[in-house]
Amino acid sequence: MSEKNVLFMARTTRFHDFARTLTSTMGVEVYAATPDSPSATHDFDLLILDVDGLRNDRLDHIAKWLDGRGSIPMLLIADEDALASLRIPSRARVDFICSGATELELEIRARRLMGEEDPFAGDDILTVDGMTINLATYQVYLDDEPVDLTLMEYSLLSFLATHPNRAYSREVLLHRVWGFEYCGGTRTVDVHIRRIRSKIGPQIAAHITTVRGVGYLFKE
């Protein structure tokens, strides 16, 4: 009998077989539930959640439910076209994969969340003044309080902060943060920078410098 259990939660069956590959790769038992009735008859060590069709407030509710069960970690499966609006719950131990991920990536991220690898290497923590970016959990804290960022806001902030003192054009940021397939205009970068600055406060926002005629730079 497996020592660890995984709860797979989704409104459809599209990733049932994908989640169940963990039975052969990790030797865990995988049980199924829906986000609308999350009560579990089995104890579990990891929640895998297909976020398709879930609003962010429902995601927050599930994160609080996991927190009440002893801070059980959560792995999100998200479609690439939904990443811009996906908000990672700040209180949860959480990671995500895109819907096109391989079985190997699923296994590696599941092992990491379940404590079979050290999830908090020293290089995963970046501190700037009173802001802490946890690159392993996609979370940002300001004076130990979580900052409510969308995934793309987090991705843009973490990219700039991990590549300090170098100016990046809006086009390069679209390529590096949003990827090849993004079809939006460069104004998207300005909108996200404005939102980030408003959420991290003036002291940290001062590190994000507008380089006229170029783009943005993060000053150490």
Side-chain angles (χ1 to χ4, degrees), residues 38-95:
S39 59
T41 57
H42 300 273
D43 290 333
F44 59 98
D45 305 281
L46 171 68
L47 173 67
I48 298 177
L49 176 63
D50 179 3
V51 300
D52 183 47
L54 287 186
R55 300 188 324 190
N56 283 319
D57 59 348
R58 184 59 182 161
L59 191 56
D60 288 336
H61 179 78
I62 293 172
K64 291 177 182 178
W65 176 66
L66 293 175
D67 192 47
R69 294 179 67 96
S71 299
I72 295 173
M74 175 167 58
L75 179 62
L76 308 178
I77 304 178
D79 294 323
E80 289 189 20
D81 58 4
L83 292 181
S85 59
L86 178 63
R87 188 179 71 233
I88 301 293
S90 57
R91 296 176 57 189
R93 294 166 53 202
V94 63
D95 199 352

Side-chain angles (χ1 to χ4, degrees), residues 19 27 30 44 70 97 144 151 156 184 198:
V30 179
F44 59 98
I97 57 175
D144 296 324
L151 180 60
L156 179 56
S198 69

Side-chain angles (χ1 to χ4, degrees), residues 159 166-178 186:
F159 176 81
R166 177 177 175 179
Y168 288 92
S169 69
R170 293 167 177 82
E171 291 79 6
V172 168
L173 290 172
L174 281 175
H175 168 71
R176 297 293 295 272
V177 177
W178 277 261
T186 56

Side-chain angles (χ1 to χ4, degrees), residues 112 118-127 132-139 154:
R112 185 169 185 154
D118 180 10
F120 298 112
D123 292 342
D124 288 335
I125 303 297
L126 175 65
T127 301
T132 299
I133 301 177
N134 190 319
L135 301 172
T137 63
Y138 304 92
Q139 293 169 309
Y154 163 83

Side-chain angles (χ1 to χ4, degrees), residues 80 83-84 150-153 155-157 170-193 196:
E80 289 189 20
L83 292 181
T150 67
L151 180 60
M152 296 314 297
E153 289 167 357
S155 299
L156 179 56
L157 174 61
R170 293 167 177 82
E171 291 79 6
V172 168
L173 290 172
L174 281 175
H175 168 71
R176 297 293 295 272
V177 177
W178 277 261
F180 284 109
E181 302 302 321
Y182 185 74
C183 299
T186 56
R187 185 175 178 275
T188 297
V189 178
D190 299 326
V191 170
H192 279 72
I193 289 289
I196 291 168

Side-chain angles (χ1 to χ4, degrees), residues 22 31 34 46 98 101 103 107 131 142 144 163 167 175 179 217:
L22 293 177
Y31 302 96
T34 70
L46 171 68
C98 289
E103 293 177 7
E107 177 190 356
M131 179 181 69
L142 188 61
D144 296 324
H163 298 80
H175 168 71
L217 174 151

